[in-house]
Short mmCIF file of all heavy atoms in Angstrom, two decimals:
data_model
loop_
_atom_site.label_atom_id
_atom_site.label_comp_id
_atom_site.label_asym_id
_atom_site.label_seq_id
_atom_site.Cartn_x
_atom_site.Cartn_y
_atom_site.Cartn_z
N PRO A 87 61.27 -72.47 71.77
CA PRO A 87 61.24 -71.01 71.87
C PRO A 87 61.80 -70.57 73.22
O PRO A 87 61.76 -71.32 74.20
CB PRO A 87 59.76 -70.67 71.75
CG PRO A 87 59.05 -71.90 72.20
CD PRO A 87 59.91 -73.06 71.78
N GLN A 88 62.33 -69.37 73.26
CA GLN A 88 62.90 -68.84 74.50
C GLN A 88 62.09 -67.63 74.98
O GLN A 88 61.69 -66.81 74.17
CB GLN A 88 64.36 -68.45 74.28
CG GLN A 88 65.27 -69.62 73.93
CD GLN A 88 65.33 -70.66 75.03
OE1 GLN A 88 65.32 -70.33 76.22
NE2 GLN A 88 65.38 -71.92 74.65
N PRO A 89 61.86 -67.51 76.27
CA PRO A 89 62.19 -68.48 77.33
C PRO A 89 61.30 -69.71 77.25
O PRO A 89 60.24 -69.68 76.63
CB PRO A 89 61.92 -67.69 78.61
CG PRO A 89 60.85 -66.71 78.22
CD PRO A 89 61.15 -66.32 76.79
N PHE A 90 61.74 -70.79 77.90
CA PHE A 90 61.00 -72.05 77.87
C PHE A 90 60.90 -72.60 79.28
O PHE A 90 61.90 -72.70 79.99
CB PHE A 90 61.70 -73.05 76.95
CG PHE A 90 61.09 -74.43 76.98
CD1 PHE A 90 59.79 -74.62 76.52
CD2 PHE A 90 61.80 -75.51 77.47
CE1 PHE A 90 59.22 -75.88 76.54
CE2 PHE A 90 61.23 -76.78 77.50
CZ PHE A 90 59.94 -76.97 77.03
N MET A 91 59.68 -72.93 79.69
CA MET A 91 59.46 -73.43 81.04
C MET A 91 58.34 -74.46 81.03
O MET A 91 57.29 -74.26 80.43
CB MET A 91 59.08 -72.27 81.98
CG MET A 91 58.83 -72.68 83.42
SD MET A 91 58.28 -71.27 84.42
CE MET A 91 58.27 -72.00 86.06
N VAL A 92 58.58 -75.59 81.70
CA VAL A 92 57.57 -76.63 81.88
C VAL A 92 57.11 -76.62 83.33
O VAL A 92 57.93 -76.72 84.25
CB VAL A 92 58.12 -78.02 81.51
CG1 VAL A 92 57.10 -79.10 81.86
CG2 VAL A 92 58.47 -78.08 80.02
N LEU A 93 55.80 -76.48 83.54
CA LEU A 93 55.21 -76.63 84.86
C LEU A 93 54.40 -77.92 84.83
O LEU A 93 53.37 -77.99 84.15
CB LEU A 93 54.32 -75.45 85.23
CG LEU A 93 55.03 -74.13 85.51
CD1 LEU A 93 54.99 -73.23 84.28
CD2 LEU A 93 54.40 -73.42 86.69
N ALA A 94 54.87 -78.92 85.53
CA ALA A 94 54.19 -80.21 85.56
C ALA A 94 53.45 -80.36 86.88
O ALA A 94 53.92 -79.89 87.92
CB ALA A 94 55.20 -81.35 85.38
N THR A 95 52.30 -81.01 86.84
CA THR A 95 51.52 -81.25 88.05
C THR A 95 51.27 -82.74 88.21
O THR A 95 51.23 -83.49 87.24
CB THR A 95 50.17 -80.52 88.00
OG1 THR A 95 49.30 -81.17 87.07
CG2 THR A 95 50.34 -79.07 87.61
N GLN A 96 51.13 -83.16 89.46
CA GLN A 96 50.69 -84.51 89.73
C GLN A 96 49.99 -84.56 91.08
O GLN A 96 50.28 -83.77 91.98
CB GLN A 96 51.85 -85.50 89.68
CG GLN A 96 52.94 -85.31 90.71
CD GLN A 96 54.00 -86.40 90.61
OE1 GLN A 96 53.92 -87.32 89.81
NE2 GLN A 96 55.01 -86.30 91.46
N ASN A 97 49.04 -85.49 91.17
CA ASN A 97 48.25 -85.66 92.39
C ASN A 97 48.96 -86.67 93.29
O ASN A 97 49.10 -87.83 92.91
CB ASN A 97 46.85 -86.16 92.02
CG ASN A 97 45.93 -86.29 93.22
OD1 ASN A 97 46.37 -86.18 94.36
ND2 ASN A 97 44.65 -86.54 92.97
N PRO A 98 49.43 -86.25 94.47
CA PRO A 98 50.18 -87.17 95.33
C PRO A 98 49.29 -88.12 96.13
O PRO A 98 49.80 -88.96 96.87
CB PRO A 98 50.92 -86.21 96.27
CG PRO A 98 50.01 -85.05 96.40
CD PRO A 98 49.32 -84.90 95.07
N ILE A 99 47.97 -88.00 95.99
CA ILE A 99 47.05 -88.81 96.78
C ILE A 99 46.58 -90.03 95.99
O ILE A 99 46.65 -91.16 96.45
CB ILE A 99 45.84 -87.99 97.25
CG1 ILE A 99 46.32 -86.75 98.03
CG2 ILE A 99 44.90 -88.83 98.09
CD1 ILE A 99 47.13 -87.07 99.26
N GLU A 100 46.09 -89.80 94.79
CA GLU A 100 45.51 -90.87 93.99
C GLU A 100 46.56 -91.45 93.04
O GLU A 100 46.99 -90.79 92.10
CB GLU A 100 44.32 -90.32 93.17
CG GLU A 100 43.58 -91.38 92.39
CD GLU A 100 42.46 -90.80 91.54
OE1 GLU A 100 42.28 -89.57 91.58
OE2 GLU A 100 41.80 -91.56 90.85
N TYR A 101 46.95 -92.69 93.29
CA TYR A 101 47.99 -93.33 92.50
C TYR A 101 47.46 -94.41 91.55
O TYR A 101 48.23 -95.00 90.81
CB TYR A 101 49.05 -93.94 93.42
CG TYR A 101 49.94 -92.92 94.07
CD1 TYR A 101 49.83 -92.64 95.43
CD2 TYR A 101 50.89 -92.22 93.33
CE1 TYR A 101 50.63 -91.68 96.03
CE2 TYR A 101 51.69 -91.26 93.93
CZ TYR A 101 51.57 -91.01 95.27
OH TYR A 101 52.37 -90.06 95.86
N GLU A 102 46.16 -94.67 91.59
CA GLU A 102 45.61 -95.71 90.72
C GLU A 102 45.69 -95.27 89.26
O GLU A 102 45.25 -94.18 88.89
CB GLU A 102 44.16 -95.99 91.11
CG GLU A 102 43.54 -97.14 90.33
CD GLU A 102 42.12 -97.45 90.79
OE1 GLU A 102 41.68 -96.84 91.78
OE2 GLU A 102 41.47 -98.28 90.15
N GLY A 103 46.27 -96.11 88.42
CA GLY A 103 46.39 -95.80 87.00
C GLY A 103 47.46 -94.78 86.68
O GLY A 103 47.40 -94.14 85.63
N THR A 104 48.44 -94.63 87.56
CA THR A 104 49.52 -93.67 87.32
C THR A 104 50.85 -94.40 87.13
O THR A 104 50.98 -95.57 87.47
CB THR A 104 49.66 -92.68 88.49
OG1 THR A 104 50.02 -93.39 89.68
CG2 THR A 104 48.37 -91.92 88.72
N PHE A 105 51.82 -93.68 86.59
CA PHE A 105 53.16 -94.19 86.36
C PHE A 105 54.14 -93.24 87.05
O PHE A 105 54.32 -92.11 86.60
CB PHE A 105 53.47 -94.27 84.86
CG PHE A 105 52.50 -95.12 84.09
CD1 PHE A 105 51.32 -94.58 83.58
CD2 PHE A 105 52.76 -96.47 83.86
CE1 PHE A 105 50.42 -95.36 82.87
CE2 PHE A 105 51.87 -97.26 83.15
CZ PHE A 105 50.70 -96.70 82.66
N PRO A 106 54.74 -93.67 88.16
CA PRO A 106 55.65 -92.77 88.90
C PRO A 106 56.75 -92.22 88.00
O PRO A 106 57.28 -92.92 87.13
CB PRO A 106 56.22 -93.68 89.98
CG PRO A 106 55.21 -94.77 90.14
CD PRO A 106 54.62 -94.99 88.77
N LEU A 107 57.09 -90.95 88.20
CA LEU A 107 58.13 -90.31 87.40
C LEU A 107 59.48 -90.96 87.71
O LEU A 107 59.84 -91.10 88.88
CB LEU A 107 58.20 -88.82 87.69
CG LEU A 107 56.94 -88.00 87.40
CD1 LEU A 107 57.20 -86.53 87.69
CD2 LEU A 107 56.49 -88.17 85.96
N PRO A 108 60.23 -91.35 86.70
CA PRO A 108 61.56 -91.92 86.94
C PRO A 108 62.52 -90.86 87.46
O PRO A 108 62.31 -89.65 87.30
CB PRO A 108 61.98 -92.44 85.56
CG PRO A 108 61.21 -91.59 84.59
CD PRO A 108 59.91 -91.29 85.26
N GLU A 109 63.60 -91.33 88.09
CA GLU A 109 64.57 -90.42 88.69
C GLU A 109 65.16 -89.46 87.67
O GLU A 109 65.41 -88.29 87.96
CB GLU A 109 65.70 -91.22 89.37
CG GLU A 109 65.28 -91.92 90.64
CD GLU A 109 64.35 -93.10 90.38
OE1 GLU A 109 64.50 -93.75 89.31
OE2 GLU A 109 63.48 -93.38 91.21
N ALA A 110 65.40 -89.95 86.44
CA ALA A 110 66.00 -89.10 85.41
C ALA A 110 65.10 -87.93 85.07
O ALA A 110 65.58 -86.83 84.77
CB ALA A 110 66.27 -89.93 84.15
N GLN A 111 63.79 -88.14 85.14
CA GLN A 111 62.87 -87.05 84.82
C GLN A 111 62.70 -86.12 86.02
O GLN A 111 62.64 -84.89 85.86
CB GLN A 111 61.51 -87.61 84.40
CG GLN A 111 60.54 -86.55 83.87
CD GLN A 111 59.34 -87.17 83.19
OE1 GLN A 111 59.34 -88.35 82.86
NE2 GLN A 111 58.31 -86.38 82.98
N LEU A 112 62.62 -86.68 87.22
CA LEU A 112 62.53 -85.83 88.42
C LEU A 112 63.73 -84.90 88.52
O LEU A 112 63.61 -83.75 88.94
CB LEU A 112 62.44 -86.70 89.67
CG LEU A 112 61.08 -87.32 89.99
CD1 LEU A 112 61.21 -88.31 91.15
CD2 LEU A 112 60.06 -86.25 90.32
N ASP A 113 64.90 -85.42 88.13
CA ASP A 113 66.13 -84.65 88.24
C ASP A 113 66.14 -83.44 87.33
O ASP A 113 66.93 -82.51 87.52
CB ASP A 113 67.32 -85.56 87.92
CG ASP A 113 68.62 -85.05 88.54
OD1 ASP A 113 68.55 -84.45 89.63
OD2 ASP A 113 69.67 -85.23 87.93
N ARG A 114 65.29 -83.43 86.32
CA ARG A 114 65.26 -82.31 85.38
C ARG A 114 64.38 -81.16 85.86
O ARG A 114 64.34 -80.12 85.21
CB ARG A 114 64.81 -82.79 84.00
CG ARG A 114 65.92 -83.48 83.21
CD ARG A 114 65.38 -84.24 82.00
NE ARG A 114 66.46 -84.65 81.11
CZ ARG A 114 67.27 -85.69 81.31
NH1 ARG A 114 67.12 -86.41 82.41
NH2 ARG A 114 68.21 -86.01 80.43
N PHE A 115 63.67 -81.35 86.95
CA PHE A 115 62.88 -80.27 87.52
C PHE A 115 63.74 -79.47 88.48
O PHE A 115 64.30 -80.01 89.43
CB PHE A 115 61.64 -80.82 88.23
CG PHE A 115 60.58 -81.32 87.31
CD1 PHE A 115 60.42 -82.68 87.09
CD2 PHE A 115 59.75 -80.44 86.65
CE1 PHE A 115 59.44 -83.16 86.23
CE2 PHE A 115 58.76 -80.90 85.77
CZ PHE A 115 58.61 -82.27 85.57
N LEU A 116 63.83 -78.17 88.23
CA LEU A 116 64.63 -77.31 89.08
C LEU A 116 64.07 -77.26 90.50
O LEU A 116 64.81 -77.33 91.49
CB LEU A 116 64.66 -75.89 88.49
CG LEU A 116 65.52 -74.87 89.21
CD1 LEU A 116 66.99 -75.09 88.87
CD2 LEU A 116 65.11 -73.45 88.83
N ILE A 117 62.74 -77.16 90.61
CA ILE A 117 62.07 -76.99 91.90
C ILE A 117 60.86 -77.90 91.96
O ILE A 117 60.15 -78.09 90.97
CB ILE A 117 61.62 -75.52 92.09
CG1 ILE A 117 62.83 -74.60 92.27
CG2 ILE A 117 60.68 -75.37 93.28
CD1 ILE A 117 62.46 -73.13 92.32
N ARG A 118 60.63 -78.48 93.13
CA ARG A 118 59.37 -79.15 93.41
C ARG A 118 58.72 -78.47 94.61
O ARG A 118 59.39 -78.20 95.60
CB ARG A 118 59.58 -80.64 93.73
CG ARG A 118 58.24 -81.37 93.98
CD ARG A 118 58.44 -82.78 94.46
NE ARG A 118 59.03 -82.84 95.79
CZ ARG A 118 59.21 -83.97 96.48
NH1 ARG A 118 58.88 -85.12 95.94
NH2 ARG A 118 59.78 -83.92 97.67
N MET A 119 57.43 -78.21 94.50
CA MET A 119 56.75 -77.55 95.61
C MET A 119 55.32 -78.06 95.74
O MET A 119 54.80 -78.76 94.87
CB MET A 119 56.74 -76.03 95.41
CG MET A 119 55.77 -75.54 94.37
SD MET A 119 55.59 -73.74 94.42
CE MET A 119 54.34 -73.50 93.16
N PHE A 120 54.69 -77.72 96.86
CA PHE A 120 53.31 -78.05 97.15
C PHE A 120 52.55 -76.74 97.38
O PHE A 120 53.00 -75.90 98.16
CB PHE A 120 53.22 -78.94 98.39
CG PHE A 120 54.06 -80.19 98.31
CD1 PHE A 120 55.40 -80.16 98.67
CD2 PHE A 120 53.51 -81.38 97.87
CE1 PHE A 120 56.17 -81.31 98.60
CE2 PHE A 120 54.27 -82.53 97.79
CZ PHE A 120 55.61 -82.50 98.15
N LEU A 121 51.42 -76.57 96.70
CA LEU A 121 50.65 -75.34 96.86
C LEU A 121 49.89 -75.33 98.19
O LEU A 121 49.93 -74.37 98.94
CB LEU A 121 49.67 -75.16 95.71
CG LEU A 121 50.19 -74.42 94.47
CD1 LEU A 121 49.13 -74.40 93.39
CD2 LEU A 121 50.60 -73.01 94.82
N GLY A 122 49.16 -76.39 98.48
CA GLY A 122 48.42 -76.47 99.73
C GLY A 122 47.10 -75.69 99.68
O GLY A 122 46.86 -74.88 98.78
N TYR A 123 46.26 -75.97 100.65
CA TYR A 123 44.97 -75.28 100.73
C TYR A 123 45.15 -73.84 101.21
O TYR A 123 46.06 -73.56 101.99
CB TYR A 123 44.03 -76.01 101.70
CG TYR A 123 43.55 -77.35 101.22
CD1 TYR A 123 43.89 -78.51 101.89
CD2 TYR A 123 42.73 -77.45 100.10
CE1 TYR A 123 43.44 -79.75 101.46
CE2 TYR A 123 42.28 -78.68 99.65
CZ TYR A 123 42.64 -79.84 100.34
OH TYR A 123 42.20 -81.05 99.90
N PRO A 124 44.29 -72.93 100.76
CA PRO A 124 44.36 -71.56 101.29
C PRO A 124 43.79 -71.50 102.70
O PRO A 124 43.05 -72.39 103.13
CB PRO A 124 43.48 -70.77 100.31
CG PRO A 124 42.50 -71.77 99.79
CD PRO A 124 43.24 -73.09 99.73
N SER A 125 44.14 -70.45 103.41
CA SER A 125 43.55 -70.25 104.74
C SER A 125 42.08 -69.88 104.57
O SER A 125 41.64 -69.46 103.49
CB SER A 125 44.29 -69.12 105.46
OG SER A 125 44.07 -67.88 104.80
N PRO A 126 41.26 -70.05 105.62
CA PRO A 126 39.83 -69.68 105.51
C PRO A 126 39.61 -68.25 105.03
O PRO A 126 38.72 -67.98 104.22
CB PRO A 126 39.31 -69.90 106.93
CG PRO A 126 40.20 -70.95 107.50
CD PRO A 126 41.56 -70.68 106.92
N THR A 127 40.43 -67.32 105.53
CA THR A 127 40.29 -65.92 105.11
C THR A 127 40.58 -65.76 103.63
O THR A 127 39.84 -65.07 102.90
CB THR A 127 41.24 -65.02 105.93
OG1 THR A 127 40.96 -65.17 107.32
CG2 THR A 127 41.06 -63.56 105.54
N ASP A 128 41.66 -66.41 103.16
CA ASP A 128 42.02 -66.32 101.74
C ASP A 128 40.98 -67.02 100.87
O ASP A 128 40.70 -66.57 99.74
CB ASP A 128 43.40 -66.94 101.50
CG ASP A 128 44.52 -66.11 102.10
OD1 ASP A 128 44.34 -64.89 102.21
OD2 ASP A 128 45.57 -66.68 102.46
N GLU A 129 40.39 -68.10 101.38
CA GLU A 129 39.39 -68.81 100.58
C GLU A 129 38.13 -67.97 100.39
O GLU A 129 37.50 -68.02 99.33
CB GLU A 129 39.06 -70.15 101.24
CG GLU A 129 38.33 -71.11 100.32
CD GLU A 129 38.39 -72.55 100.81
OE1 GLU A 129 39.06 -72.81 101.83
OE2 GLU A 129 37.76 -73.40 100.16
N VAL A 130 37.77 -67.20 101.42
CA VAL A 130 36.64 -66.27 101.27
C VAL A 130 36.97 -65.22 100.21
O VAL A 130 36.12 -64.85 99.39
CB VAL A 130 36.32 -65.59 102.61
CG1 VAL A 130 35.31 -64.46 102.41
CG2 VAL A 130 35.77 -66.61 103.60
#
């Protein structure tokens, strides 16, 4: 269906029991980003 968008997530810390994404699959993601923790004010 259109529009079509995949948002994939992965935990960069815990690698036990995971399978790293191959280059061919990483290349299909337009953007990679990190959300990060909110600031103390935003967390409140």
Side-chain angles (χ1 to χ4, degrees):
Q88 296 298 323
F90 174 65
M91 180 184 187
V92 173
L93 290 98
T95 72
Q96 63 177 359
N97 183 351
I99 304 300
E100 184 183 0
Y101 286 108
E102 185 177 354
T104 63
F105 302 87
L107 299 182
E109 288 71 32
Q111 188 167 345
L112 281 172
D113 203 33
R114 281 167 168 78
F115 287 102
L116 184 78
I117 291 174
R118 182 187 67 175
M119 75 169 183
F120 305 86
L121 271 177
Y123 290 116
S125 66
T127 303
D128 291 332
E129 196 162 356
V130 171

